[in-house]
Amino acid sequence: MATYTGKTVTEAIDNGLSDLQVNRHQSNIKVVKFPKMGMFGRVRQAAVVEIEPLSVDTDLGDTLPAETPMTADENRLLLLSSISQATAEYVKYLATEKKITLNYEIKVVPDQFFIEMSSNDEEELIGPKGQTINQFQELANQYVVNAEKNPAVQEANIQGIKVELDINGYRAKRSRILRKVATRAEKVVGESEGAIYFDPMPKSERDQIHAFLQDSETVRSFSEGQGDERAVVVAPLTKLND
């Protein structure tokens, strides 16, 4: 079975079919490696496929269906799969830098990658107050933003993909805590008419606090600060923010 490479899986397959002078219907194709994307959408590792020509009676050759071009949807799914795999491998690399060993499973849904991780050092991977897993998630999202600058990805109209990292239900547990914190803040602010300033937290968690309080009849929430210091403020409904 011959091995072929390319910047994308599609390119690797086309290279192999061209070299072997066969079409997709005349061959067995196996994807060995998806390409790995580096910063700004650059390919760090080429896609690798194995192609094995099928034994076909030459008298039946003319009856074989013509080569069918890959549809736009098929190409988009292939790119999404490739990007999600590269993103997960990037997260695995980040963990290795911290001497954390992890495995992962990927679920791709419209506009989002869910990467479920497992590790022999779960506490280290989560970090204090989720610091490590949140940092990895932010870097993974930036990685995807850079990958979306690739011309092939832009042509497939892939944009706005979000990445969520999780391990052993941590996100659900954290969400329940945030809801309790938001409810407590609503009560305290409603009774005292003073504002509460939270510690800085990642955007995904700030968004949850805002969502929990958006229908409150007594308080409003907004964010203040820059960068890593951006934090939620819960104030009486009559208090305006800048």
Side-chain angles (χ1 to χ4, degrees):
M1 185 176 288
T3 300
Y4 297 92
T5 62
K7 293 180 180 179
T8 65
V9 172
T10 302
E11 182 179 293
I13 292 173
D14 288 344
N15 289 341
L17 296 178
S18 176
D19 180 64
L20 296 170
Q21 294 296 298
V22 294
N23 63 34
R24 292 173 187 266
H25 304 288
Q26 297 171 303
S27 56
N28 278 327
I29 301 172
K30 177 183 178 183
V31 179
V32 179
K33 292 181 180 179
F34 285 98
K36 292 183 180 179
M37 295 183 178
M39 298 298 289
F40 307 110
R42 295 172 182 166
V43 177
R44 291 176 49 228
Q45 174 181 290
V48 180
V49 300
E50 291 180 350
I51 302 178
E52 180 181 22
L54 298 175
S55 297
V56 180
D57 190 325
T58 54
D59 292 336
L60 300 177
D62 292 339
T63 67
L64 289 172
E67 174 68 7
T68 304
M70 185 176 291
T71 67
D73 285 344
E74 289 173 335
N75 182 58
R76 190 173 192 277
L77 287 173
L78 197 59
L79 284 170
L80 284 171
S81 177
S82 179
I83 296 170
S84 67
Q85 183 73 28
T87 303
E89 284 293 317
Y90 175 60
V91 172
K92 189 172 184 177
Y93 165 77
L94 293 174
T96 301
E97 289 287 285
K98 291 182 175 289
K99 304 188 185 308
I100 302 172
T101 301
L102 66 81
N103 295 308
Y104 59 80
E105 292 184 1
I106 306 169
K107 180 180 179 182
V108 180
V109 300
D111 302 325
Q112 192 156 16
F113 300 153
F114 291 98
I115 302 177
E116 178 67 31
M117 304 177 293
S118 59
S119 174
N120 58 356
D121 198 345
E122 184 177 313
E123 288 188 6
E124 186 71 18
L125 181 57
I126 293 174
K129 295 184 179 180
Q131 184 177 31
T132 302
I133 192 173
N134 287 333
Q135 179 188 44
F136 284 3
Q137 181 167 288
E138 289 182 9
L139 290 171
N141 276 286
Q142 184 58 53
Y143 184 92
V144 171
V145 169
N146 291 332
E148 289 174 352
K149 297 175 183 177
N150 185 295
V153 176
Q154 292 181 337
E155 186 177 348
N157 195 29
I158 296 174
Q159 56 186 348
I161 298 294
K162 301 300 180 185
V163 183
E164 181 175 300
L165 306 182
D166 200 4
I167 181 169
N168 196 24
Y170 168 75
R171 293 297 178 192
K173 297 172 188 175
R174 181 63 177 165
S175 184
R176 288 194 292 270
I177 292 173
L178 292 174
R179 181 179 287 277
K180 289 180 180 179
V181 168
T183 300
R184 175 62 179 168
E186 181 181 27
K187 180 179 179 181
V188 171
V189 171
E191 292 175 348
S192 68
E193 296 188 353
I196 288 181
Y197 292 76
F198 284 69
D199 290 335
M201 62 179 65
K203 183 179 185 303
S204 60
E205 294 192 349
R206 296 198 308 271
D207 288 346
Q208 288 187 67
I209 296 289
H210 296 321
F212 293 145
L213 297 176
Q214 65 181 354
D215 296 325
S216 174
E217 296 180 353
T218 58
V219 304
R220 63 180 301 174
S221 67
F222 52 92
S223 295
E224 285 188 349
Q226 301 294 324
D228 293 340
E229 295 303 311
R230 196 157 177 78
V232 171
V233 180
V234 179
L237 195 59
T238 55
K239 181 178 176 63
L240 300 179
N241 58 298
D242 295 335

